[in-house]
Amino acid sequence: LRAETRARLVEALAVPQGLAAAADWGASESLLGTPGVALLLYGPPGTGKTLAAEAIAGELGRGLWRLRADQLLNKYVGETEKRISAAFSAAREAGDVVLLDEADSLLAARGPENQRWEVSATNLLLQEIERFTGVVVLTTNRDAALDPALERRLLARLEIGMPGLAERVELWKRHLPPRAPLAGDVDLASLARAYPLSGSLIRTAALFAVSKAAARPEGQRLLTR
C-alpha cells in the first residue's frame, strides 16, 4: 500500500484500542458507545483490496470470515436474511474479522426497481454492519454503486489505487523467491519504471518467470529480464 493509505488504515484500526484507553473518561457513557470498525476498500481490480483484508486479520491475530453474494443470497423467502444473521453472529462470537468481498453485489443502492427481498436483505446487512463490534472490511471495484446508507456506518473509506513506483519495486522484490539467481539484465527498479502494473499483474508475471526459469536445464536456471 502507499504510505498515506497505510497510515489511514492503521489510524482506523487503532480506534477501539483508543476508546478502551478512554474508559476512565466515561467514553462508554457518551454517545460514542463501543463502535466497531467498518472499512471500505475500493479501487481497480488487482490492487490488493482482499489481500489487505487478510493482512488486517493477520495483524489482529484473528480469523477472516470471507462472505460473498453466492454464499448469502438464496431464492427462498427469509433464507438470505437467516444466512446473513448467522454469519455475523458466528463471527461476533469468535471475535473474527468479516470480509464482504465485492460488496456492491450485496449492498447496491436500493430503488423502486428492487424486489422486496432485496431491500430486506440490504436493510439487514446494513444493521449487522452497524451492530458489529469487531472489524468489517468491504471491498469493491464499484463504490459509486453502493447504497448511500452505508456511508454513515463507515469509519474509513480508503482508495486502494494502483501502486506507485516505490510500491512496484517492493512488490517485485516480495514476489520473487529470495534465492532465485538473477541474470545481469534484471533490474527491478527499471522494470517497475517501465511497466506500471498492479500487484496482481506483477504476481502473474513473477509466476511465469519463476516457473520457466526453474524448469530450464542446469546451468541455465536464471531469471532473465
Side-chain angles (χ1 to χ4, degrees):
L1 299 179
R2 291 176 180 265
E4 59 270 23
T5 305
R6 186 193 301 253
R8 287 197 61 211
L9 185 57
V10 169
E11 185 180 42
L13 292 173
V15 166
Q17 186 177 4
L19 282 179
D24 58 333
W25 295 352
S28 61
E29 302 164 33
S30 72
L31 291 176
L32 290 176
T34 54
V37 174
L39 305 170
L40 175 64
L41 309 182
Y42 69 96
T47 51
K49 298 181 292 295
T50 301
L51 187 61
E54 294 173 2
I56 288 169
E59 189 72 16
L60 297 174
R62 301 294 186 181
L64 183 69
W65 288 64
R66 184 173 178 175
L67 306 179
R68 302 186 311 272
D70 60 332
Q71 295 173 311
L72 298 176
L73 300 181
N74 190 279
K75 63 181 180 180
Y76 295 107
V77 175
E79 190 61 32
T80 296
E81 290 88 337
K82 286 180 185 177
R83 292 183 178 188
I84 292 171
S85 294
F88 273 87
S89 177
R92 189 180 298 110
E93 187 174 336
D96 288 336
V97 176
V98 172
L99 166 62
L100 287 174
D101 226 351
E102 299 180 356
D104 52 280
S105 61
L106 291 163
L107 285 168
R110 291 162 290 181
E113 71 281 1
N114 291 115
Q115 297 185 43
R116 184 180 299 176
W117 69 267
E118 292 176 305
V119 173
S120 175
T122 299
N123 289 342
L124 177 61
L125 194 48
L126 289 169
Q127 291 169 19
E128 290 288 0
I129 291 170
E130 187 166 23
R131 288 198 299 255
F132 195 69
T133 53
V135 177
V136 180
V137 181
L138 303 96
T139 68
T140 183
N141 306 328
R142 302 170 57 242
D143 61 303
L146 293 168
D147 195 285
L150 174 65
E151 199 68 34
R152 71 172 182 82
R153 294 166 167 86
L154 297 173
L155 186 63
R157 162 193 272 269
L158 303 173
E159 182 177 9
I160 310 297
M162 293 290 285
L165 176 59
E167 289 76 40
R168 291 197 297 274
V169 172
E170 192 65 24
L171 283 163
W172 277 111
K173 287 179 181 177
R174 294 195 180 210
H175 278 102
L176 295 178
R179 290 181 295 281
L182 302 181
D185 65 348
V186 177
D187 178 353
L188 299 185
S190 172
L191 276 175
R193 280 193 298 272
Y195 302 101
L197 303 175
S198 68
S200 177
L201 291 178
I202 288 174
R203 173 181 168 79
T204 299
L207 282 170
F208 276 108
V210 170
S211 61
K212 289 172 75 173
R216 293 187 185 122
E218 199 61 46
Q220 302 176 35
R221 300 174 74 234
L222 284 175
L223 276 168
T224 68
R225 175 150 179 143

